[in-house]
Each structure stands twice: as C-alpha cells, then as structure tokens.
Amino acid sequence: MLARFERMNLMIIWSNLVFYEIQPLEQELDPSRMPRHVAIIMDGNSRWAERQGWPASVGHEAGVRALKEVVKLSQKWGIEVLTVFAFSTENWLRPKTEVGFLMELFERVFQEQLNAMPDENIQVRCVGDLSMLPASLRKIIATLEEATQHNTGLKLSVAVSYSGRQDIVGACQRLMARVQNGEMSPEDLTEAAIDEELKTSWVGEGRNPDLLIRTSGEQRISNFMLWQTAYSEFLFVDSLWPDFGEAQLKDALLEYQKRNRRFGKHK
C-alpha cells in the first residue's frame, strides 16, 4: 500500500514537472484545412486512474497535464478556438469528496495560469452556471478573464458547471423577457438571435465548433453544446483523456481534413 502511494505521489510531482517541446505544424497537416474551432469532451480521468489502482484524484491531475499540452499544441498549430468540457451540471451528482477535489483543482490550475496566460497571449473564458461554484473559485475566474481579455491568440473556453440544454433554455428566456419588455418582437426570435444569447457567443464568428472530439471511447455528447454542434464533425477516440497528446490530436486533425463538409449541399 505504501509503495502504491509513493508511486502516486511521484506521478503527481512528475505531472507538474513535465515540459513539452511543441513542434511546428506537422507536414502531413494542411494549414488551409485546419478546423477553426475544436471542442473536446475530456473523458476518462477516473477510469485511467482506476486501471492503475489509483484514486480518481490522480487521474484528474493527469488530465490537467494533458489539457496543458493540447492548449499549447492548439496555439502552435493555428487553431483559433478551443472549448473543453471540464465539468457538467450532472457532475455535481458525483461523490462530494471528488467534487470538492475538482473545485480545489480548478482553483489551483486557474491561479497558476494567472501569470502564464497573459504572456502566452491566450484569452480565457469560463462558460456555464458559475453561480454554483465556490465563491473563491468564481473570484479567480473573474480575475483570470479580466487579465486575458485583451489577448489576441487562442481563445480558450472552459465549460464548467455547463449544460447544453440549460444554455438554450436560458437564451430563450432572456429573449422572451426582451419581447415582454417591448425591446423586440416575436418575429425577431430567430436562430441568429438565439445564437447571440448562448454563453459561447463571446467567441465571435468562430463560436460553433468545426470538430468535436470525445475521448475514452464513449459515443455520445452528454449535453454538451447541443445547439452549437449542429454541423460539427464528430470524432470519438478510444484514448482516455490523460493519454491524449500530440499524436492523438494530430490523428484527429488528419481525420477531420479527410472529411467533406457539405452543410446539406452537393459538392
């Protein structure tokens, strides 16, 4: 038992010390066919840890390491927007100890990035029902968003306490309130109007993902960006999230570039 926890502690330390040498865009990838917006359902942290006899917390730590690498790769390879599903509204139903650990982990990771993100020219926003988060975490998120709001590089959207259904319902409720107040007519309730009210609208023109990746082999989108992914290309990969790195992201982008996106038209 002692040996197991020694290995676990060594792994956590190592995960915080790993440095990645991110290479320029791979020659096989076509820069002209890169997705503008990539969304990822980061699934499999707990299963990754369980398979090695470790608690879920170690898997979540390893998942942070994988996220940092993917963020750097996205920035380096010219992806404009990266949206990651970090915590769903349904995840509040998990054991209290795991939820508490995740809130502390989010707080620590966001705090660590307060100094790094402005230098990396990454703009960060969190989307979801942030009112459910601890006050200390909300404060750090607000500080991070303010510190990176003028950055012009990668737009990193972190879905925390997020529900795709609630995102749509909330947008419709706000629009209906404007109709009731006489600020707009029922005829103004268009797809474009709803699109502008969704929490992901901060991204701008590239708000709807071109490519949605889910790790761990599961083939569902689990209430994530239901409206925004209407025309996204879906890719389900077997790798658990902590094992998802440069090779897996490159393979996903190569697969995306093979696809013929018609949007209902003949080509």
Side-chain angles (χ1 to χ4, degrees):
M1 180 66 70
L2 180 61
R4 174 181 295 179
F5 281 100
E6 286 177 348
R7 294 199 310 272
M8 181 178 71
N9 290 332
L10 284 172
M11 180 213 161
I12 294 175
I13 294 171
W14 175 251
S15 73
N16 292 325
L17 292 176
V18 171
F19 294 92
Y20 296 98
E21 182 180 352
I22 305 301
Q23 299 300 323
L25 188 65
E26 295 285 342
Q27 291 183 354
E28 303 100 309
L29 292 169
D30 181 355
S32 68
R33 301 197 64 194
M34 289 291 287
R36 186 177 189 179
H37 183 169
V38 174
I40 304 178
I41 300 175
M42 306 181 294
D43 192 20
N45 290 344
S46 297
R47 274 170 284 172
W48 182 89
E50 183 180 357
R51 289 179 183 179
Q52 301 177 71
W54 292 327
S57 58
V58 178
H60 294 311
E61 291 272 6
V64 170
R65 184 180 72 242
L67 175 58
K68 289 180 178 180
E69 182 182 14
V70 169
V71 168
K72 290 180 180 180
L73 285 165
S74 300
Q75 174 90 319
K76 190 76 172 182
W77 291 355
I79 294 169
E80 297 180 20
V81 184
L82 177 65
T83 299
V84 294
F85 203 5
F87 191 86
S88 71
T89 53
E90 292 82 6
N91 288 152
W92 289 110
L93 300 175
R94 290 187 177 187
K96 290 184 178 180
T97 53
E98 183 178 359
V99 171
F101 174 82
L102 285 169
M103 295 301 110
E104 293 176 1
L105 180 62
F106 291 150
E107 191 166 327
R108 173 163 58 82
V109 171
F110 288 145
Q111 185 67 55
E112 289 173 353
Q113 296 308 310
L114 272 173
N115 293 327
M117 283 293 187
D119 296 334
E120 294 173 354
N121 199 29
I122 296 173
Q123 186 178 3
V124 185
R125 288 280 189 92
C126 289
V127 296
D129 185 0
L130 305 187
S131 67
M132 299 181 69
L133 302 178
S136 56
L137 178 54
R138 294 200 305 270
K139 182 178 180 180
I140 291 175
I141 289 173
T143 304
L144 180 60
E145 290 180 345
E146 182 179 2
T148 63
Q149 64 180 327
H150 299 301
N151 289 347
T152 58
L154 175 72
K155 293 181 178 180
L156 176 60
S157 186
V158 183
V160 183
S161 189
Y162 178 84
S163 161
R165 289 179 175 177
Q166 187 55 47
D167 197 4
I168 298 169
V169 170
C172 292
Q173 289 175 336
R174 289 188 293 274
L175 289 171
M176 285 301 299
R178 292 171 60 187
V179 171
Q180 292 177 343
N181 294 334
E183 299 175 23
M184 60 188 300
S185 67
E187 291 74 22
D188 294 327
L189 293 176
T190 62
E191 289 188 14
I194 294 174
D195 204 49
E196 285 293 332
E197 282 294 327
L198 296 172
K199 294 183 181 296
T200 51
S201 64
W202 76 271
V203 169
E205 293 182 1
R207 69 191 64 171
N208 297 325
D210 301 295
L211 173 62
L212 171 66
I213 302 169
R214 179 170 185 151
T215 59
S216 85
E218 302 291 350
Q219 298 188 16
R220 56 183 180 273
I221 59 175
S222 298
N223 199 14
F224 180 51
M225 299 184 80
L226 302 178
W227 177 282
Q228 299 90 331
T229 56
Y231 286 100
S232 301
E233 295 294 324
F234 287 15
L235 185 62
F236 302 104
V237 299
D238 291 331
S239 299
L240 301 175
W241 176 244
D243 294 325
F244 192 91
E246 183 171 354
Q248 291 76 17
L249 180 60
K250 186 186 78 170
D251 288 343
L253 295 174
L254 285 170
E255 174 59 30
Y256 170 82
Q257 293 188 348
K258 294 175 184 176
R259 298 188 181 183
N260 183 11
R261 304 186 73 198
R262 296 186 296 274
F263 301 97
K265 299 177 292 186
H266 289 296
K267 285 191 177 181

